[in-house]
Amino acid sequence: MCGIVGYIGKRNTCSVLLEGLKRLEYRGYDSAGVAIFHEGKIVVRRCQGKLCNLENSLCNTTFDGGVGIGHTRWATHGRPSEENAHPHFYQGVAVVHNGIIENYLELKKMLRGEGHEFQSETDSEVLSHLFARFFAQGCSFEESVHKGLALVRGSYAIAVMNEDDPSQFIAARNESPLVLGLGDGENFIASDVPAILPYTRKMIFLEDGDIAVVNNCAVEITALSGEAVQRAHRVITWDPIMAEKGGYKHFMQKEIFEQPRAIIDTLRGRISEDTCDIYLNGFEAHAAALKNIERIYCVACGTSYYAGLVGKFMLEEISRIPVEVDLGSEFRYRDPLVDERSLIILISQSGETADTLAAMREGKGKGAKTLAICNAVESSLARDSDSVLYTHAGPEIGVASTKAFTSQVTALFLVALFLGKMRGTLPDERACQLIQDLVRLPRLMEKVLTLDSEIEKIAQVYADAHNFLYLGRGINYPIALEGALKLKEISYIHAEGYPAGEMKHGPIALIDEEMPVVVVAPKGATYEKIMSNIEEVKARQGRTIALATEGDAEIGKKVNHSLFVPETNPLLTPILMVSPLQLFAYHVAVIKGTDVDQPRNLAKSVTVE
């Protein structure tokens, strides 16, 4: 949800900012801008649209200053336009902001009463006016930021420059991610690690209420109250090459094909095939409390929510604990019946999803134990939860989540195994068998991905359809939901996912020869039921695409197109079944010519409510 980069040092400031923003464009691409010192003044350049527009406007421009801030925007308050783009500049103060200022109308009214005139529709512009207000009253640059933020309610990650002080910039955060990068004679700020990873691996993850004064030699962090704060740095081990396309046409395509490795990395060091034990990196420390857990809540948003739905089946069957799955945006508003006998599993790729973070705080406030499943190291969710289980999928740049989903489901399976063994509901013999099935999964996933060219041919047949219906049963019905979401996200085709048994309760009215129906139909307990659903679609002239188990000789006779996935343990079929649906959505989007990696109106990490 918007990307921020800041730099102070001897490099070409404009190049550092643009390169960093390119790595953050997945967070927003409605507009972009930079503010850089030149000949003692701050020069602001902004453009509507994608970052390439800003880059083109700057191609023949040089700056002599070594301080700058940049921003790529995902519109919340105010339409995408040049005047609503960041940085916002007022009386020598330039600000970039990620988040939402909840009381901005109140602040605007106050400032207008003092003679301030605003140029944009955004909430963010009030920040530049607030800081300039206090600076004009004789406060220092740092005092102006402290006093201004003391009046603000809401979430923010900001970087601020003042024309009267070209030796530093100031950064601050509250409920929006911000990381400092420490260099040799230079320092950086960014919304996310990949933006500055080519320059440094030493990072300080700012926490809520932190305000950092950054110059080229040092970083000083204080609380909003003015008290000095010490934050330890972390050394990040990601390789910047991991964030490149690696020969694939799109990041999404690359990330789909990285799923076997992502699953391996999620499993690495966490299972023992010899002893059939599970190791969850510190979760074991809560074993005594976990034995008393009476209910589990999986809380997430978007694709991660569908991972939670799959996890419900795994957790209930293996650990025999009742599981509820909640959308993060709804959880805290229903006053959930959570207490010290509850475990809340919070699932988020970025670890910065605002609704999921709010749900975590709600649960902790009621005494529940919290476990984060996320991909981003040292994210807010990871730091604030009682325990964290990293998926280790590596950077996921494509906005539509793929490898994050399969590694999240893999992590949930590990949690189910751990709880089952700890509570005595999972016999050793079955635990060993499930672990063996899990270890074989990456190899089976590689086999599934060889269907790519076949899936592309099927996509060519159906790319002109205007509506799709996706059906599944049992543990695979969330895969129907996820398949439909992927198609919607990147091809802009209307698609709906349903439990197949619900087809007769409404969706069947839509089925005709113009409505393709995608059916997730592996062999298993619900196979006969889903075959009946296929017959019902066929009777209404619906065209059907089936995902089935290798060796199924019957289903091909009943559907228009079929794709066959290797057989595995029924609890693990969702991980294999989802990849063909990801590839189908990808190829349809490519055929339609949409922006696969940066679909319209979406951002990778939704860090505002």
Side-chain angles (χ1 to χ4, degrees), residues 197-343:
L197 194 58
Y199 310 106
T200 181
R201 294 178 179 274
K202 292 173 65 176
M203 309 286 179
I204 295 176
F205 293 86
L206 295 182
E207 299 188 12
D208 286 350
D210 285 355
I211 300 176
V213 178
V214 184
N215 61 43
N216 62 337
C217 297
V219 172
E220 295 182 358
I221 303 174
T222 58
L224 193 57
S225 63
E227 297 176 2
V229 174
Q230 298 297 320
R231 300 283 182 230
H233 75 265
R234 304 282 190 273
V235 178
I236 303 300
T237 58
W238 288 355
D239 184 342
I241 296 173
M242 292 178 72
E244 300 300 328
K245 291 182 184 175
Y248 290 95
K249 187 175 181 180
H250 298 95
F251 280 113
M252 181 182 179
Q253 183 188 28
K254 171 178 177 282
E255 287 154 8
I256 290 171
F257 280 87
E258 286 178 336
Q259 287 177 114
R261 181 201 56 76
I263 293 171
I264 290 171
D265 287 346
T266 299
L267 297 178
R268 197 183 305 277
R270 290 173 170 158
I271 56 175
S272 169
E273 290 186 79
D274 292 333
T275 63
C276 300
D277 285 324
I278 306 294
Y279 309 101
L280 296 188
N281 310 103
F283 193 47
E284 297 88 343
H286 302 283
L290 292 172
K291 287 182 179 178
N292 298 318
I293 291 298
E294 295 180 357
R295 185 170 298 274
I296 296 173
Y297 295 82
C298 291
V299 182
C301 301
T303 285
S304 297
Y305 171 73
Y306 297 145
L309 288 175
V310 176
K312 171 183 171 71
F313 287 87
M314 296 172 168
L315 288 160
E316 288 191 339
E317 179 168 329
I318 295 173
S319 74
R320 308 309 297 163
I321 305 172
V323 178
E324 293 187 26
V325 186
D326 274 87
L327 289 163
S329 56
E330 295 291 332
F331 181 73
R332 65 187 172 124
Y333 295 108
R334 66 176 180 85
D335 192 18
L337 298 175
V338 173
D339 57 25
E340 65 279 357
R341 294 164 297 179
S342 305
L343 169 66

Side-chain angles (χ1 to χ4, degrees), residues 106-176:
E106 174 187 327
L107 294 171
K108 257 190 174 181
K109 183 179 179 180
M110 177 193 76
L111 292 163
R112 279 185 173 132
E114 298 175 359
H116 292 246
E117 295 182 0
F118 291 84
Q119 306 300 316
S120 77
E121 305 165 311
T122 71
D123 58 328
S124 305
E125 189 183 359
V126 300
L127 295 171
S128 58
H129 286 251
L130 275 178
F131 302 148
R133 172 185 188 258
F134 286 108
F135 193 70
Q137 293 175 0
C139 295
S140 69
F141 181 22
E142 186 177 356
E143 287 172 335
S144 299
V145 174
H146 276 262
K147 286 179 177 289
L149 291 178
L151 299 178
V152 167
R153 293 197 312 270
S155 60
Y156 55 80
I158 63 169
V160 192
M161 296 197 315
N162 188 329
E163 217 160 51
D164 281 18
D165 195 346
S167 66
Q168 61 187 10
F169 65 83
I170 294 178
R173 75 154 276 175
N174 185 59
E175 298 181 2
S176 289

Side-chain angles (χ1 to χ4, degrees), residues 341-359:
R341 294 164 297 179
S342 305
L343 169 66
I344 303 179
I345 301 176
L346 302 127
I347 312 165
S348 169
Q349 190 281 139
S350 67
E352 302 292 351
T353 306
D355 290 316
T356 307
L357 286 168

Side-chain angles (χ1 to χ4, degrees), residues 426-587:
L426 180 64
D428 289 343
E429 185 177 350
R430 189 180 182 216
C432 290
Q433 183 59 57
L434 290 173
I435 288 172
Q436 289 174 20
D437 294 337
L438 194 56
V439 169
R440 285 195 289 266
L441 203 61
R443 178 173 53 82
L444 298 180
M445 175 74 80
E446 289 176 351
K447 190 173 181 181
V448 171
L449 293 172
T450 64
L451 297 171
D452 183 45
S453 59
E454 189 177 347
I455 294 168
E456 183 178 10
K457 292 175 183 176
I458 296 173
Q460 290 169 349
V461 175
Y462 294 97
D464 292 332
H466 297 291
N467 301 281
F468 274 78
L469 183 63
Y470 284 67
L471 301 175
R473 278 185 177 265
I475 196 171
N476 289 293
Y477 96 74
I479 300 307
L481 304 182
E482 172 63 7
L485 177 63
K486 283 292 156 285
L487 194 68
K488 282 184 280 196
E489 284 180 315
I490 63 171
S491 72
Y492 315 146
I493 294 174
H494 174 253
E496 295 293 337
Y498 276 89
E502 288 296 297
M503 183 181 70
K504 295 187 289 295
H505 297 279
I508 197 168
L510 300 173
I511 296 174
D512 59 19
E513 64 276 6
E514 299 298 322
M515 169 74 88
V517 180
V518 180
V519 184
V520 184
K523 286 283 191 179
T526 60
Y527 178 74
E528 291 184 0
K529 297 291 185 183
I530 207 151
M531 289 294 280
S532 296
N533 296 133
I534 290 172
E535 292 285 4
E536 290 164 349
V537 172
K538 188 177 177 182
R540 289 154 182 84
Q541 287 76 53
R543 296 179 292 168
T544 311
I545 306 165
L547 290 181
T549 304
E550 280 184 351
D552 185 346
E554 295 300 316
I555 201 165
K557 301 173 185 176
K558 300 181 181 294
V559 300
N560 297 85
H561 295 89
S562 52
L563 295 162
F564 295 99
V565 171
E567 187 171 5
T568 187
N569 187 289
L571 288 173
L572 297 174
T573 53
I575 298 174
L576 297 184
M577 288 288 172
V578 76
S579 296
L581 300 185
Q582 295 168 345
L583 286 168
F584 179 75
Y586 169 77
H587 287 300

Side-chain angles (χ1 to χ4, degrees), residues 38-65:
H38 181 63
E39 297 180 351
K41 297 290 184 180
I42 293 176
V43 177
V44 176
R45 291 287 182 85
R46 306 182 298 184
C47 286
Q48 182 181 347
K50 294 193 175 182
L51 185 62
C52 59
N53 296 338
L54 177 66
E55 194 170 19
N56 290 336
S57 77
L58 291 168
C59 62
N60 296 317
T61 307
T62 57
F63 300 91
D64 62 12

Side-chain angles (χ1 to χ4, degrees), residues 1 74 350 352-355 603-609:
M1 191 72 67
W74 186 76
S350 67
E352 302 292 351
T353 306
D355 290 316
K604 183 66 179 173
S605 178
V606 183
T607 58
V608 296
E609 290 190 70

